[in-house]
Amino acid sequence: INLPIGNSGTYDLEYSAVTSGTYSLTWEDQFDTYATGVQLAVQNPAQWTTWSNAPGSAEDPYVSTEQAYTGSNSIKIEGVNDCVHTFGNLTSGSYLISHRMYVAAGYVGYFYTLLLFNGANSEWGMQVAYEVDGTATLDAGVFSAATFNYTPDTCMLNEVYVDLDND
């Protein structure tokens, strides 16, 4: 399971992933251990990379103090930033991937999960696109599987339930 993040505007993120059932924490990153003003994947290449697997490139977002939900740091995704967190070789089980995301008014944002991360040859699981007008679209199984409204300039909780045994 992979959680690539990309954007055509600006948003800030916090991530955690827990297993379903007992919800024991398998991974969490609130970005407070990172230096601000330094790119994310450069600081933690074991956990983060970019779409082109090029930490330190223009795709690598900077750690910021803007819009942190808890603590003092977040990551700021803008321009061509496209960061990826891989969860290793998970092949079974159920998982909850959650993150908070801030989409500034006048901008768009998106996130997606991949079954297989391989750059342009990746295998998508689902994606959510947040539009400027306050609407969002979920593509999961089919294009526009669901649409919903969101409020720009707020920190939104996103949760993705992944069941590798049944889906």
Side-chain angles (χ1 to χ4, degrees):
I1 302 171
N2 305 290
L3 182 63
I5 304 298
N7 184 21
S8 297
T10 300
Y11 60 84
D12 298 294
L13 306 145
E14 284 188 8
Y15 289 98
S16 63
V18 295
T19 58
S20 66
T22 61
Y23 293 104
S24 60
L25 190 63
T26 59
W27 177 78
E28 180 178 40
D29 200 343
Q30 293 183 336
F31 309 113
D32 288 333
T33 60
Y34 303 128
T36 58
V38 180
Q39 290 173 298
L40 175 66
V42 167
Q43 294 186 67
N44 188 353
Q47 295 289 321
W48 292 97
T49 190
T50 70
W51 185 254
S52 301
N53 200 22
S57 71
E59 291 179 334
D60 195 354
Y62 284 87
V63 176
S64 170
T65 58
E66 296 178 42
Q67 308 304 330
Y69 182 74
T70 60
S72 58
N73 289 354
S74 61
I75 57 172
K76 185 172 185 177
I77 309 290
E78 60 185 348
V80 297
N81 293 155
D82 208 346
C83 64
V84 176
H85 176 270
T86 59
F87 289 94
N89 294 320
L90 300 175
T91 58
S92 64
S94 297
Y95 302 89
L96 169 66
I97 301 170
S98 67
H99 69 274
R100 296 209 176 254
M101 187 165 110
Y102 180 91
V103 179
Y107 291 90
V108 300
Y110 66 91
F111 76 93
Y112 44 93
T113 58
L114 300 173
L115 179 59
L116 175 65
F117 171 61
N118 188 19
N121 296 313
S122 295
E123 186 177 335
W124 264 252
M126 57 76 62
Q127 67 181 2
V128 174
Y130 294 94
E131 302 300 336
V132 173
D133 65 0
T135 62
T137 303
L138 166 68
D139 298 331
V142 297
F143 182 71
S144 295
T147 58
F148 57 94
N149 295 322
Y150 78 97
T151 304
D153 289 330
T154 61
C155 193
M156 302 172 287
L157 175 64
N158 292 286
E159 295 182 320
V160 178
Y161 296 90
V162 179
D163 184 345
L164 296 175
D165 297 324
N166 296 304
D167 185 13

